[in-house]
Amino acid sequence: MNHPDHPEKQSPMERLSAFIVDKRKAFYLIYIGAAIFCVFSSGWVDVNDDLTSYLPDTTETRRGLTIMEDEFTTFGTSRILVDHLSFAQAEALAEEARALPGVKEVAFENSTEHYDRGAALFSVTYDGGAEDPVSLEGLAGLTGLLEGRDVYVTGDTGNSASESLEAEMQVVMLIAVGIILLVLLFTSHTYMEIPVLLMTFGMAALMNKGTNFIFGEISFVSDSVAVVLQLALAIDYAIILCHRYTEEREHQEAREAVIAALSKAIPEISGSSMTTLSGLGAMCFMQFRIGYDLGLVLMKAIILSLLSVFTLMPGLLLSFSALIDRTHHRSFVPQISAWGRLAVKTRYIMPPLFVVLLIGGFLFSNRCPYAYGQTDLTTIRKNDAQIAQAKVNDAFGRVNTLAVLVPQGDYEREGRLLRELERMPETDSVLGLANVEAMDGYVLTDRLTPRQFAEMTDLDIEAARLLYSAYAVNQETYGQLVSGVDSYGVPLIDMFLFVYDQMEQGYVSLDSEMTETIEDLHQQLSDAQLQLKGEHYSRLVLQLNLPEESPETFAFLDTLHGVVNRYYPEDALLVGNSTSDADLSASFGNDNLLIGILTIVFVILVLVFTFQSSGLPVLLILVIQGSVWINFSFPYLQQEPLFFLSYLVVSSIQMGANIDYAIVIANRYVELKQTMPLKDAVVESLNEAFPTIITSGTILASAGILIGFLSSNPAIASIGVCLGRGTLISIFLVMGILPQILLLGDIIIEKTAFTLKARLPLQTRSGTLRVDGHVRGYISGVVDADFSGILHGTIHAAVAAGALQEESGKEGDQSHA
């Protein structure tokens, strides 16, 4: 303790720490208010289930989807399989289903496409969009009608991926918290520090979820994994402060110990967080904007975690200091000196083996079979929708729908294109206004003269001429009135809709049979127009007999582009899951290269600043990049497709977060080698780093594995599996390869240090010695101080200034380390 008359001047960091500790009650009030606010605001954020909305605006799929949203109506649909039915029972059910409110159409016929070996497939179209209340009412009615039967429902209506995913993540979170409690009990110094850690992190997680509304909308990926990843990535910061406090508490009062611990932990934790923030920041540069979305949410999570650790946790440590003091327990983390000695002995074996793994990992990971859609991905856990989808696909095959958008207005050209598309072997069906049959062999876009229209509808020819004249006036095509309406051809769909409007207004009166026909046609024509004819574009709908994603499918898209562009060279677009996958495939190469380069550059800059060396960061990057390559060799070796987003996200997180494990060992090694031989420094650095690495690594790996095993969403599960596996590989490499690399590469580290200060030689002497100078090393314990006097005992240390001499007339043994 400083003398009151000569108080030691506090550093700015110590003054800031003292302010935080002394104003802890004010901070408590702020955090209580923030917690109450975040409980309510967490419900304000919109969650986006649609990955295609994050495609770049310039991609064909995104442009096409925007046009379809603006110009067309897409009705909600379901494919419902009912098993163990006779055909007669299925027909009766179809009739009952058609009468339900909200149900527009139920397609069911006597063909293998709808009935096969006791299984009936009903293709249902609803009166509204997939999320409209009227469609959900129709689905609820169907569910009630089919209750008690063996039913499998698929489709876009009533299938909220975000809701089921949120429920799964709640289970993941509960189990993750349980695992974290066990890990902390194993690695903590006192039992009471665990509630402090959980309160700190719980506040950080709540604030992150409660502030997501500032983005307006976030993806289901960010919404589901952010809390678990925040917990796994950022709990280290709280653990570092806890350990600092425990060390300081051994020789200071509680308040002074918290201040000292915080002042020392702020720079250390801030430096540690920079590599994680760098990896996440690199994700924000992805063309596929899901990376920007997830990167922002997780960066905010890290920053709020830092804020909680720096401003909430110090007060909690002081408030609970008495309980923390009383609940100390022995450390359960074992010493791993034997592992360290094994690392030293294998220093000429493991690095060459690592080089082989590095080359193999690079080659295999570059052959990783990527998937850009989710239909070919499998998950360990399957939800009801996935089970139903698999059942329907197995019984009646998959449906691959593709829309072709062409400039609207030329029905004849549309008809020629539709006929050519129908002849292509890759198409099962083709639908457009120009091939929908209306009456008597005419299609909706055929141009009929007044006489043809009169013959088809049994209308008086004069009445037909009057209708055509009125239509010409309505369309302001007055030239037809001058030249005569008998040669005036009007598309059948336009004339039918005009006649219906005239009937509604009382200007036209038809016989009861024709009136009924027109009224029946009107709804079908209106629906067809809503779905297939927009203000500027017409939509052609193709059913392909190709898988959603395959080389053959992508090749067919190129062929299809060529066919469509012959008819519409100006501006035609293809839109569907297959085109989305093709666009994602095209952007993946650029994103992969960009993210890889930016992550490594950002992390190297942080490491160079941290270690004041250019060689050491390269060695650390090499180890973690190796773990990334090895991680993504597994899909190739297992011949299982990997969702492309998993690679982009996990490679960034693995490089940004797992490199902290390598930094911990490297920091210890660089410090310890100043006071002991290199081999001893390696052994001791592993001993000191092991508790931190085992704590952080176990939590992150557990979080990833839990997500992988418990999530039914292929994209989320894939991220979890890769993250868990990658973390385990990183732990193995930093504990089993990095120490040997540090030993063999020490000369590189020394030569590339910016501070060209040579390592002081260690002196080992025993006996009676005069010590006069600054000493760093072991004198029956560790000493780092200005020392002047006589020593009776043993010294093993570096003497930075002054001298170390044997006392005259005294014996001492001398050796050099």
Side-chain angles (χ1 to χ4, degrees):
M1 186 176 292
N2 300 318
H3 193 281
D5 295 332
H6 304 284
E8 184 179 330
K9 188 177 180 181
Q10 287 186 317
S11 68
M13 192 63 70
E14 288 172 330
R15 289 198 296 273
L16 174 63
S17 301
F19 173 81
I20 292 170
V21 172
D22 292 339
K23 302 297 182 182
R24 59 190 178 280
K25 292 182 179 178
F27 281 107
Y28 290 164
L29 288 175
I30 293 171
Y31 277 104
I32 290 170
I36 295 171
F37 174 79
C38 289
V39 166
F40 292 99
S41 63
S42 59
W44 298 348
V45 66
D46 291 326
V47 179
N48 187 346
D49 289 345
D50 183 14
L51 281 179
T52 61
S53 64
Y54 294 95
L55 284 166
D57 292 337
T58 55
T59 59
E60 182 179 31
T61 303
R62 185 64 261 156
R63 289 163 55 210
L65 287 171
T66 301
I67 290 170
M68 290 203 301
E69 289 165 6
D70 293 342
E71 298 197 12
F72 299 94
T73 296
T74 301
F75 293 111
T77 60
S78 292
R79 296 176 82 204
I80 302 178
L81 185 151
V82 185
D83 214 349
H84 307 114
L85 282 180
S86 67
F87 183 76
Q89 289 175 312
E91 274 193 317
L93 280 176
E95 283 303 315
E96 289 184 65
R98 292 184 184 108
L100 292 172
V103 175
K104 181 181 293 295
E105 181 185 357
V106 178
F108 179 77
E109 57 189 30
N110 190 7
S111 70
T112 54
E113 293 181 0
H114 287 276
Y115 188 82
D116 186 34
R117 290 170 293 182
L121 181 66
F122 304 106
S123 299
V124 182
T125 303
Y126 299 100
D127 284 331
E131 301 300 324
D132 289 351
V134 66
S135 300
L136 298 178
E137 180 188 1
L139 178 60
L142 285 167
T143 304
L145 175 66
L146 301 172
E147 188 176 2
R149 298 184 181 275
D150 195 1
V151 180
Y152 301 89
V153 180
T154 70
D156 56 2
T157 304
N159 182 19
S160 177
S162 60
E163 289 180 8
S164 61
L165 192 56
E166 184 177 0
E168 292 168 359
M169 287 302 108
Q170 288 173 356
V171 175
V172 169
M173 191 64 193
L174 286 173
I175 300 175
V177 169
I179 291 174
I180 288 168
L181 281 172
L182 291 175
V183 172
L184 293 178
L185 283 171
F186 180 73
T187 60
S188 65
H189 296 103
T190 74
Y191 293 117
M192 194 56 209
E193 72 184 42
I194 296 173
V196 171
L197 291 170
L198 294 180
M199 281 189 281
T200 302
F201 195 83
M203 188 67 239
L206 179 59
M207 286 197 301
N208 190 49
K209 192 169 181 64
T211 53
N212 282 334
F213 74 91
I214 64 175
F215 302 127
E217 177 184 85
I218 63 173
S219 70
F220 73 93
V221 178
S222 302
D223 184 61
S224 59
V225 302
V227 174
V228 180
L229 290 184
Q230 180 184 8
L231 179 61
L233 292 172
I235 200 167
D236 275 4
Y237 311 148
I239 292 171
I240 289 172
L241 180 57
C242 250
H243 287 178
R244 280 287 186 185
Y245 169 73
T246 303
E247 292 169 8
E248 298 295 334
R249 186 69 181 93
E250 291 178 3
H251 53 84
Q252 294 191 73
E253 293 298 322
R255 176 183 175 276
E256 286 69 27
V258 175
I259 293 171
L262 182 59
S263 63
K264 293 175 181 178
I266 287 177
E268 182 181 354
I269 294 170
S270 300
S272 175
S273 68
M274 287 305 298
T275 54
T276 303
L277 288 170
S278 298
L280 298 174
M283 288 168 53
C284 295
F285 291 89
M286 284 169 56
Q287 283 181 290
F288 186 39
R289 301 308 285 167
I290 194 76
Y292 179 80
D293 179 85
L294 184 57
L296 278 185
V297 172
L298 288 179
M299 286 173 72
K300 177 165 66 69
I302 298 299
I303 291 169
L304 290 173
S305 297
L306 291 173
L307 188 65
S308 295
V309 170
F310 292 158
T311 59
L312 174 62
M313 190 172 175
L316 294 174
L317 286 173
L318 184 55
S319 298
F320 290 99
S321 59
L323 288 172
I324 292 173
D325 291 343
R326 289 202 297 269
T327 57
H328 274 274
H329 61 78
R330 69 178 182 85
S331 175
F332 301 115
V333 181
Q335 291 285 302
I336 57 167
S337 300
W339 178 266
R341 290 191 292 271
L342 179 64
V344 171
K345 289 178 181 177
T346 57
R347 63 189 181 278
Y348 298 114
I349 300 173
M350 298 306 289
L353 179 61
F354 174 63
V355 171
V356 174
L357 286 173
L358 198 66
I359 295 171
F362 174 76
L363 295 175
F364 293 153
S365 64
N366 279 312
R367 297 178 183 177
C368 181
Y370 292 107
Y372 301 95
Q374 299 187 42
T375 55
D376 293 331
L377 299 176
T378 58
T379 55
I380 297 168
R381 182 184 182 278
K382 290 181 170 55
N383 59 30
D384 291 342
Q386 289 168 316
I387 294 169
Q389 189 70 60
K391 178 74 173 179
V392 172
N393 290 343
D394 290 343
F396 294 97
R398 293 181 176 178
V399 173
N400 186 7
T401 304
L402 184 70
V404 180
L405 303 181
V406 297
Q408 188 266 123
D410 190 340
Y411 290 139
E412 184 180 346
R413 186 162 44 158
E414 276 184 44
R416 293 200 307 272
L417 173 58
L418 283 167
R419 286 189 289 275
E420 181 166 352
L421 294 178
E422 285 174 337
R423 292 193 295 269
M424 299 182 80
E426 294 88 355
T427 60
D428 281 340
S429 67
V430 179
L431 176 66
L433 284 178
N435 71 349
V436 175
E437 187 173 342
M439 297 172 65
D440 296 346
Y442 291 112
V443 297
L444 288 177
T445 56
D446 283 343
R447 290 181 173 273
L448 272 64
T449 63
R451 181 168 298 280
Q452 290 171 316
F453 187 77
E455 290 172 353
M456 185 187 72
T457 58
D458 292 330
L459 193 65
D460 180 76
I461 184 62
E462 292 302 325
R465 285 172 178 154
L466 271 172
L467 277 174
Y468 270 66
S469 298
Y471 182 86
V473 171
N474 182 265
Q475 297 296 311
E476 298 181 357
T477 52
Y478 302 111
Q480 296 294 338
L481 297 176
V482 176
S483 61
V485 295
D486 282 345
S487 61
Y488 185 22
V490 177
L492 187 54
I493 183 173
D494 295 343
M495 182 52 67
F496 268 133
L497 293 173
F498 178 73
V499 169
Y500 179 82
D501 288 340
Q502 298 301 302
M503 285 170 50
E504 287 290 290
Q505 295 174 33
Y507 298 137
V508 174
S509 178
L510 303 174
D511 62 57
S512 59
E513 185 179 347
M514 195 63 215
T515 299
E516 186 178 352
T517 300
I518 294 289
E519 288 177 346
D520 288 344
L521 275 172
H522 175 261
Q523 186 61 50
Q524 297 176 38
L525 296 177
S526 297
D527 290 345
Q529 193 170 38
L530 287 171
Q531 296 178 84
L532 302 174
K533 181 182 177 182
E535 183 179 356
H536 304 103
Y537 285 86
S538 289
R539 179 162 63 174
L540 318 179
V541 181
L542 283 62
Q543 298 291 343
L544 306 182
N545 52 33
L546 294 170
E548 178 186 311
E549 178 183 355
S550 71
E552 294 79 14
T553 305
F554 292 164
F556 172 71
L557 292 179
D558 292 335
T559 303
L560 189 58
H561 271 117
V563 171
V564 174
N565 287 337
R566 286 206 309 273
Y567 292 88
Y568 295 93
E570 58 272 28
D571 188 19
L573 299 168
L574 309 184
V575 188
N577 288 340
S578 293
T579 62
S580 171
D581 296 345
D583 286 336
L584 291 172
S585 173
S587 69
F588 173 66
N590 292 332
D591 278 344
N592 188 15
L593 182 63
L594 180 66
I595 296 304
I597 292 173
L598 287 178
T599 302
I600 290 175
V601 168
F602 290 162
V603 171
I604 280 184
L605 289 175
V606 173
L607 294 181
V608 166
F609 179 77
T610 302
F611 288 105
Q612 296 291 297
S613 166
S614 57
L616 183 56
V618 173
L619 296 178
L620 302 186
I621 290 283
L622 195 64
V623 172
I624 301 302
Q625 185 60 56
S627 74
V628 173
W629 286 335
I630 294 169
N631 185 18
F632 291 104
S633 297
F634 278 80
Y636 169 74
L637 296 173
Q638 296 169 339
Q639 286 302 298
E640 291 182 359
L642 173 72
F643 192 50
F644 79 102
L645 184 61
S646 305
Y647 183 88
L648 295 174
V649 171
V650 174
S651 61
S652 298
I653 293 176
Q654 200 173 339
M655 178 60 73
N658 290 174
I659 200 163
D660 280 352
Y661 311 155
I663 292 172
V664 170
I665 291 178
N667 261 328
R668 299 290 196 280
Y669 172 75
V670 169
E671 182 179 343
L672 291 170
K673 75 174 187 173
Q674 300 296 328
T675 60
M676 59 179 66
L678 297 182
K679 296 176 184 177
D680 294 344
V682 164
V683 174
E684 190 58 31
S685 64
L686 285 175
N687 264 329
E688 293 185 10
F690 180 64
T692 301
I693 293 173
I694 199 65
T695 303
S696 175
T698 302
I699 290 171
L700 186 55
S702 299
I705 291 168
L706 281 171
I707 292 172
F709 275 77
L710 297 179
S711 176
S712 61
N713 182 281
I716 302 301
S718 180
I719 289 173
V721 168
C722 293
L723 183 61
R725 183 177 61 217
T727 301
L728 292 175
I729 293 170
S730 297
I731 292 172
F732 172 77
L733 291 186
V734 298
M735 294 295 294
I737 301 289
L738 180 61
Q740 295 90 325
I741 290 177
L742 292 175
L743 266 179
L744 296 183
D746 188 72
I747 189 169
I748 298 174
I749 298 170
E750 291 291 336
K751 295 292 185 184
T752 57
F754 299 154
T755 53
L756 301 175
K757 191 163 70 176
R759 187 164 63 96
L760 294 169
L762 298 176
Q763 302 182 52
T764 302
R765 301 188 187 186
S766 298
T768 302
L769 307 167
R770 173 172 288 280
V771 184
D772 188 10
H774 186 85
V775 179
R776 180 174 177 79
Y778 290 89
I779 304 178
S780 299
V782 179
V783 172
D784 184 358
D786 292 324
F787 196 101
S788 182
I790 304 296
L791 168 69
H792 300 279
T794 299
I795 184 170
H796 177 78
V799 182
L804 174 62
Q805 297 176 339
E806 295 179 23
E807 271 291 89
S808 178
K810 304 289 182 185
E811 291 184 358
D813 301 321
Q814 179 176 338
S815 64
H816 297 280

